[in-house]
Amino acid sequence: MSASEAVTDALRDLHARFAGVREGERADYIPELARSDADDFGLALVSMDGHRYSAGAAGTPFTLQSVSKPFVYALALSSLGLDEVGRWVGAEPSGEAFNAISLEPRTGRPANAMVNAGAIVTTALVPDRPDAPAFTRVLTALSRFAGRKLDVDEEVYGSEAATGDRNRALAYLIRSTGTLPVDPVAAVDTYFRQCAVRVTAVDLAVMAATLAHGGVNPVTGEAVVSADVAAQVLAVMATCGMYNSSGDWLLRVGLPAKSGVSGGLIAAGPARFGLAAYSPLLDAAGTSVRGRAALGALSERLGLHLMRNPALPGSTVTLATTADVLPSAPSGRRERALRERVGVVAAQGALDFTAAERVLFALDESGPGQVGSVVLDLREVTGADSVALALLHAGLARLARDGRRAAVVDPGNRLGPPDLVRERTGQDLPRYGSREEAVERCAQAMAGPV
Ligand code: DON
């Protein structure tokens, strides 16, 4: 336990650094929110393995407010698909405040699902079903993202329902343009309820981590939405999640994020972390002041900016040479001459597009031109995604067409099942259990033409 406390220490440092910040105001247009404790400040981080770290008031409950929007958008996308959802709500940054009258001039479509107008439409796209009213479906989805059963803060719901005329007006305006598919009163009521769902900073970090983890909750292991939907939601969060400060946030912090007027804030480092902050003092854009500062500093400290070193998988190719220089090479001249025509490439780690390109380049570099053969040693490869596999198969097919024979050392079948490899590479690629065996066979095969 104590080694990973270093991660908690990083959060505690940030907590201590920003706890004294007193700028900002609590939201009071929803009267109940003005009753929150201005001193509350919690931070949480959840890894892709579901490890949870927190500092400060990370277990203090508060309401989701606008942080609910990306998750309900995910639910609508899962039910209807991007094209259908896109008919009703756009995906362009509005450059306006969260409660702006954001309606596209000709179609009346709200600019995006992160501003209130778009979120009301998104919620309306989740209709009642015979087995579950709309709000039950929303609450179930939010709970699956959080990995526990969430509930509604009835006081906050009542407070917003009593004062939420601007959102009702927005809903009526949207319907007047003919685009809102259902009753505006019902849609806004469900929207108010989703905003009043109670969470903690740790819950929010789990929810953000689920989006960062391709839609799979890293704590419960449940596939909440597809990887495609998770990516779509993160994309809209990146461009629109922080309203009229989205560009500045992406520039400085470099992470998809979403703020809420109760003081919740999430950010997602795709394939890395889910981050969350809670502190009710807000800036003019409705973002938690301490949350903004702390998550910005955390992104910098952990090197999470998306545009910085987007591919940093470490070295992929651990060996690219010819078999005559291997320590195991026999000393005889003839054997050495044969082995000079056998390339050897070894790779390690997880293979994605970037890594697969490195492997293919190394295959080209590993031998003297278009002759001879090459051994591709994949024993240290831990996995390959579908893009990497397709690229490797295509590269091996090209190699064969160019007259260079390949053999693989692949006891873990990293290259995929033999049938698939045969279909894609157009050959029965010889597979061996050890590098030495593969090199020896390739060298013997060379003996013919020498
Ligand atoms: O619709 C509203 O006004 C609130 N229920 C949510 C707004 C919100 O959280 C804006 N984000 N910063």
Side-chain angles (χ1 to χ4, degrees), residues 117-360:
I120 292 166
V121 170
T122 309
T123 300
L125 292 175
V126 181
D128 293 327
R129 275 200 191 142
D131 57 327
F135 181 68
T136 304
R137 297 180 60 201
V138 167
L139 187 62
T140 303
L142 293 172
S143 299
R144 292 170 74 205
F145 273 109
R148 73 177 184 95
K149 216 166 176 324
L150 301 175
D151 64 3
V152 172
D153 183 325
E154 293 294 339
E155 267 75 50
V156 174
Y157 161 72
S159 184
E160 182 161 19
T163 54
D165 286 342
R166 189 176 173 94
N167 280 328
R168 282 193 198 92
L170 270 176
Y172 278 104
L173 262 182
I174 295 163
R175 189 175 66 168
S176 75
T177 66
T179 54
L180 188 65
V182 299
D183 172 13
V185 174
V188 170
D189 188 66
T190 306
Y191 168 74
F192 288 158
R193 282 191 176 278
Q194 83 184 43
C195 288
V197 168
R198 206 176 347 221
V199 289
T200 66
V202 173
D203 290 330
L204 283 193
V206 176
M207 294 172 86
T210 301
L211 290 177
H213 194 229
V216 177
N217 184 316
V219 176
T220 63
E222 186 182 6
V224 181
V225 292
S226 69
D228 284 347
V229 165
Q232 288 156 2
V233 172
L234 289 174
V236 174
M237 284 167 64
T239 51
C240 311
M242 302 294 274
Y243 312 116
N244 43 338
S245 62
S246 296
D248 189 63
W249 173 272
L250 192 59
L251 175 67
R252 291 173 196 279
V253 182
L255 292 174
K258 187 72 210 79
S259 56
V261 287
S262 55
L265 176 61
I266 57 169
R272 292 174 155 188
F273 295 112
L275 307 173
Y278 169 59
S279 168
L281 298 174
L282 307 181
D283 65 16
T287 303
S288 166
V289 176
R290 291 181 195 145
R292 187 185 180 101
L295 293 196
L298 199 60
S299 166
E300 194 175 325
R301 184 160 174 171
L302 305 182
L304 296 179
H305 197 300
L306 283 182
M307 307 305 166
R308 185 180 300 149
N309 299 323
L312 208 116
S315 61
T316 305
V317 175
T318 52
L319 185 72
T321 186
T322 48
D324 56 310
V325 304
L326 295 179
S328 57
S331 53
R333 272 189 52 205
R334 182 177 146 75
E335 282 94 340
R336 285 213 173 244
L338 291 174
R339 283 183 171 233
E340 265 174 28
R341 301 175 64 201
V342 179
V344 182
V345 170
Q348 68 176 7
L351 304 185
D352 59 2
F353 174 84
T354 311
E357 183 275 336
R358 290 174 174 160
V359 172
L360 296 182

Side-chain angles (χ1 to χ4, degrees), residues 40-111:
D40 273 346
F41 180 29
L43 292 173
L45 179 154
V46 173
S47 76
M48 298 296 90
D49 302 309
H51 306 153
R52 283 169 280 191
Y53 303 91
S54 60
T60 301
F62 56 94
T63 53
L64 271 175
Q65 300 304 331
S66 289
V67 182
S68 63
K69 292 168 179 173
F71 301 100
V72 178
Y73 186 49
L75 175 59
L77 288 171
S78 295
S79 311
L80 302 173
L82 187 56
D83 290 344
E84 178 62 15
V85 172
R87 286 179 55 207
W88 303 104
V89 55
E92 293 301 333
S94 66
E96 294 185 295
F98 67 90
N99 58 1
I101 302 169
S102 163
L103 305 179
E104 213 171 51
R106 215 169 29 81
T107 63
R109 265 187 343 161

